Structure formats: structure tokens, C-alpha cells
Amino acid sequence: MKPLDKKITEHFAGLVVRKDLVKAVKGNAIVPSYVLEYLLGQYCATSDEESIQTGIQTVKEILAKHYVHRSESGLVRSQIREKKLRKIIDRVSVDLNDKEDVYQATFANLGINKVAVPASTVKKHQKLLTGGVWCIADIEYQHNEDEKSVPWILESLKPIQLSSFDFDGYLDARKRFTTDEWIDTLIQSIGFNPEAFGKRSKLLQLIRLIPFCERNYNLIELGPKGTGKSHVYSEFSPHGMLISGGEVTVPKLFVENRAPYKIGLVGYWDCVAFDEFAGKSKRVDKALVDIMKNYMANKSFSRGIETLGAEASMAFVGNTQHTVAHMLRHSDLFDELPPKYHDSAFLDRIHFFIPGWEIDIIRGDMFTADFGFVVDYFAEILKQQRNFDYSHLYTPHFQLSEQISTRDRDAINKTFSGLVKIIFPNQDATEEELEELLAFAIEGRKRVKDQLMRIDQTYADVRFAYVRPDGKELLIKTLEEDTYPTIYHKSGDPSDEPIETTAKSTDVSAAMSKPAGSPEEGHVTVKENQRGVDFDTLFGPYVQGASKIVLTDPYIRMFHQARNLMEFIETVDKVKSDDQRVEVELITSEEEFSPEKQLEFFEQIQKNCLPSGILFSWGFETGIHARHIVTDTGWKVLLDRGLDVFQKYEMNDTFTLANRLQKHRACKAFEVTYLRQ
């Protein structure tokens, strides 16, 4: 077991589960992960392999015996009639039959309805009235000659949710983890492998959780298909409801327009998420947009003569069809929304815009087989924290720019508070850690405001910045702003002249646009998740014309690192003339555990490069720290990460552009400095 898994199982005994077990037990049962993990938490919340296997078998038997498949509903009803079965797992919804003054349940998969439910049960579990809840229920069948009677009798009903938890114990256990360990624990709890994500990508995943722990939080995520945008809202918490963006109505979401005013989803769920929210051709009810705008701004809505309040957060997720550059050049980053939602007043209510284009399409290696919280347990922790407000924690150290409006300030504070709840529930973050979360919260709101300025020219420019304790002001930029400086601040009119906002010496986009063959001294900074970077433009001009190149990088050991080396040599091959011989010498450290594999990589590179006139050699040194490229033409290129600048990508898929072209890969954060010796 990994050290982190040992720590998790030690301090959260009985509250964690190995995440790959969900797939092992799910089979063809169409149930959310929190239902399966609830069952796994009863039988597999242990690190003992034998107990886990026994627990898996038990859960499989429970699902096989009690979960109702729609295709087998007739058989299950027959078994209940014959007294062979009484306990079932199904999605149950309840309605009030006001003519008979009784509550009646509908069992989605079993296919029965009008089953009488005690008022006490409904009062205890009111979410039964709004869309349904997964439950374990005991049902009996008793036929009656009365045609109006229903033969199905509900003996007991228990929603599949954690009954109790120890919040103080949670806070105490959190103290045993470093910040990085805790973030990785949370990522594993969501179901992902933290090794497949950089720090920024992990924070983007955690932003998705804020609607569950922050009241009236409005979040939007737009990006390519297949990035897992709706996963958290459909699978992670019994307190969230995922609905199709085109299927919601005012009565369903807010309240019926007739007395008695029956409140909708926002009155019962912590988070209401709208799936498939994008789509220009979608028909949208203008009345719904208007009441939603009021609710998102004021936490209340009016229907009839009454004003009602609610605490549900809202999350909007949708797919984009175009690249970021295309949207910035021709419209804005909200371009895919239906026209009635592509409205500045509505979008101004959004607290954070998750850039879905930064999140990779889900691959197999992104899922974890390690331990994480039983999601129902963590869902209750998040729900408990809705009562807290941590937005004040940064104020002793940092001050927001006075130009930031009240609405912008509220958005930043809510995001900051949510991240603190998730990562630092004990409010014990260092000043540096608080600054990182504050900058991230500002960027998410700035992304919204920058697009509003494209949509509505009446919005004034805002200086999104904060002041450090030493009085220095730090200006925040979005990643898109750094990547596309010449079109980011362009208005929606394609005829407008682009505005350059970033100095070329520190902007990677400017560095990427430098003409080949004109190397200059300077410095390039690349942010995590930035794309558009390749070795040809980073190094090509600086190795051109060299006959001897020495690369010093202590970490050329694993396959992906050797591949980076090969791609660097490909750049050398592209810029040299056909009749030129170039020596490329690598100085690195020897692999401790499998040196023979490392040697095999180098020997293959050496053999295959020789016919092209590239003489590759290598040498091992111990204690190497510096990473750089030195040429006999007088250039020294300092590399703070060496050649290992790209995040994980699918190297086994020939038909993935990221496999073929470096510019399509997401980068790690790194810096390169060019010096003339």
C-alpha cells in the first residue's frame, strides 16, 4: 500500500474505500457511485485484502438480489407477491394526492405507483418530493377486492445516505496531512489518480465541489466533450441534482404559480446542476431566465404575491464546439450558450468560470485504484460546511484592488471561502497558501468579467489585482490572456485592432511567435495547463548552426523522459543542414532500479540518429542539480524543469494529436532563460 493510502486508512478507518471497487461491483446496475460506495462502505471499508474480496462478493449479492432492473421489474413484482422477496433498491419519488390527502410513492424501476407513504417518512426525508431519492425499501403485496386500493404496502423506507458523522473527528484527522497529501486525498476521493494532474488541474477539479459546501454559489464550466464535467453532480453527492438544461421549467425549479405555492428543486437540494447547458439552437423560456437572474443575485424569487428564499447553488455545464482562439477572435468564451442565456445580466451572476478546455479528455490512467473517502461521508462533510464563511481569512494579509466592484468582490470571496473549506477546514493555511487560493479565485471571476466586456460594451474595465503585505500590487491574468495576448482583449468586432497586453520577454506566446533563426536573450514563463508550446520554437533558434550541444538533465530515466530527449534531437535535426554533423551529448544521472532499461533507451537513440548525422552520446554524473543546454555557438539555455515540461498524455494512441504534436499537450509550469555566453 502507498504511504498516502496507509495514512488515509489509519486516520479515517471505516470511512474510506478503494475506488476501483465501484467498477468491480457495478456490473449493469445503473446507480450513482454514492449508492455503490454506501454499500461498499458497509462491507469494504478496510485495507485488508481478504475482507475486501469478501465485501465485494457481499455487495454483488445484495445488488443481484435487491437492485431492480427495469427489464426485470415484472419478475421482481412476482417475487414480492409470492413472498420470495421484500427488500429492494430503487429510486423512489413521492407526490401528494391532494384529493385523498395522502402521500403516494412511485418506484422508478419496479414500475409501481400510488404506494401509500406515511407522512412522518415524507417529513423526515423531504427530498422524496423533488425528483426522487435512491432508497432501500421493504415492500409487501396484499391484494384487496376494492378496486381503488393499491396492493403494494410500504413497510419501511431508508434513503441510501450516511446516518451520522463526526465533524470534529474529521477536522482532527485533517491535521495529520500536509496540504499536498490532503489535496491528493480529495482527488482520490473523487475517483481520480492525482499523479495524472498538476496542481492547477487539481484545483480545477476541487472547484467543482464548491456548490456543495457554499450556499448560493453560481458556477459555469464550458469545454470539450468527455472531460467529466457532469460527473461530480450526478455521481458524487446525494445532495445534488443533475438535470438536462432543456428539461427544466419554472415550477420544477422554483415554485408553482398557484396556491399553495409548492417550492421546487432549489428548496430541497444543495446543488442544482444543468447538464448540456450549451447549444445555440436550444429553446429557452425567457420567464425562467428572468426568475433565475433574480434568484442568482438575491437568493430569492417571487411567485404570486409571495417572495421565497432558497440556498441551492447552481452549476451550469456544457460543451464547446470551437477552440479558445476561435472563440476569442470571433466572439467570446460564452459563445456556445443559447441566446437567452448569452445575456450579460445573467452571466454577471456567475461567480467562477471553469475553463473546461484546460481539462484533458478522461483517459484510463486518470482513474485511481487507491483509497478515498466514501463519497457519501465526504458529501455530508461538505454539507455541514455550508454553515461557515471563511471569506475573511485573507484580509489580514491581502487587500483586493479598490477597483473591484461589490459583485466581483462577492464572487471572489465565495470561491475563496469554498476552497478554504475543502482544503483547509481548520483555517490553518499559511500566508503563501492563502495567496494561491485568492489568486485562483480572482482569475475565475476575471474570466467571467473579461467576456462580459466583449458582450456588453457598457461594462467598465476592472483592475483585478490584490495588494500584498509589503504594499506591492499583483495583477492577475487568466491563462487565456497569457496564451493569446493579441486577441484576448479584442472586442467582438473582428475589425478591431488587437491590443498587446504582455511584455514579450515574459510571455510565452510572444516567444512562440519569434521568427526562427533570430535567437535573442530573454526569459519565458509558461503556466500550468498552457498549450501551444513546442521544442522547435523553444530551442530551435538556439541550437541552429551548432556542431556541439551539451544537454544537462538529471532526469532522463523513464520512457516518457527518453521520449522527450528524442523529440529534442528531432528539433536539432530539423534545424541542421543535411550535410552537417552535430554532436549531442547528454549528462544525466543513472537510474537506480533499472539502469539496463535506461541504457537500452540511449543505445536505441544513438543507433537510430547516426544515419542522420547526429552523434548522440551520454555520461553519468552524481549530484546534478542544474538543467541547461549549452552550444558551441555561445548559447546557454537554462531549464528549471529540464525537458520534462509536458503533462501526461496518451502516448499509446497514434490518432491523438497530443501524441503527434507537442503544441497540443498541456504543459507543467516552467521557465526558460536564454543567455549569450
Side-chain angles (χ1 to χ4, degrees), residues 31 35 66-70 73 87-93 106-112 132-137 139 157-160:
V31 295
V35 173
H66 301 293
Y67 171 73
V68 180
H69 292 271
R70 290 189 179 183
S73 58
K87 190 183 295 291
I88 65 167
I89 298 174
D90 201 351
R91 187 175 180 87
V92 183
S93 58
T106 298
F107 288 75
N109 290 358
L110 188 59
I112 61 175
V133 176
W134 283 94
C135 301
I136 298 176
I139 295 182
L157 181 147
K158 179 186 178 185
I160 295 179

Side-chain angles (χ1 to χ4, degrees), residues 150-165:
V150 176
W152 304 101
I153 300 172
L154 180 65
E155 290 291 323
S156 68
L157 181 147
K158 179 186 178 185
I160 295 179
Q161 292 181 227
L162 198 70
S163 58
S164 63
F165 67 99

Side-chain angles (χ1 to χ4, degrees), residues 307-327:
T307 298
L308 303 170
E311 298 179 354
S313 296
M314 290 195 167
F316 307 94
V317 297
N319 297 327
T320 54
Q321 306 296 321
H322 301 293
T323 64
V324 173
H326 182 279
M327 290 187 284

Side-chain angles (χ1 to χ4, degrees), residues 440-537:
F440 200 66
I442 294 173
E443 183 190 343
R445 174 59 185 177
K446 184 181 190 296
R447 184 173 289 107
V448 174
K449 201 61 177 281
D450 287 347
Q451 303 316 302
L452 288 176
M453 291 167 60
R454 284 172 169 258
I455 296 169
D456 187 341
Q457 303 298 322
T458 63
Y459 278 90
D461 192 11
V462 179
R463 186 174 180 82
F464 281 90
Y466 64 92
V467 180
R468 287 174 166 167
D470 59 5
K472 182 181 178 182
E473 184 184 63
L474 200 70
L475 187 66
I476 297 299
K477 294 183 178 181
T478 66
L479 184 58
E480 301 82 28
E481 190 173 4
D482 274 335
T483 307
Y484 305 105
T486 59
I487 59 174
Y488 185 80
H489 289 281
K490 198 169 116 178
S491 74
D493 183 356
S495 65
D496 285 357
E497 288 296 319
I499 301 171
E500 184 68 65
T501 61
T502 311
K504 287 193 175 186
S505 61
T506 59
D507 172 43
V508 72
S509 298
M512 293 298 99
S513 65
K514 286 189 297 186
S518 59
E520 300 172 1
E521 287 191 319
H523 184 79
V524 167
T525 299
V526 176
K527 291 184 177 180
E528 184 180 327
N529 287 352
Q530 197 156 331
R531 287 178 166 83
V533 176
D534 59 45
F535 287 175
D536 289 353
T537 43

Side-chain angles (χ1 to χ4, degrees), residues 3 6 23 48 61 67 74 113 130 133 203 206-207 214 229 261 326 378 408-409 426 434 437 459 555 564 626 633 644:
K6 289 181 180 178
K23 190 179 293 185
D48 179 66
E61 290 172 1
Y67 171 73
N113 53 32
T130 59
V133 176
L203 289 179
L206 297 183
I207 288 283
E214 192 73 26
K229 290 185 287 293
Y261 298 113
H326 182 279
F378 190 56
D408 294 331
R409 194 175 296 264
N426 291 298
L434 291 174
L437 299 189
Y459 278 90
Y555 296 103
N564 289 335
T633 53
D644 196 5

Side-chain angles (χ1 to χ4, degrees), residues 597-612:
K597 198 68 181 174
Q598 184 184 28
L599 282 174
E600 183 183 331
F601 295 149
F602 295 163
E603 288 169 355
Q604 284 184 286
I605 292 173
Q606 184 184 60
K607 179 181 67 175
N608 292 318
C609 287
L610 189 59
S612 299

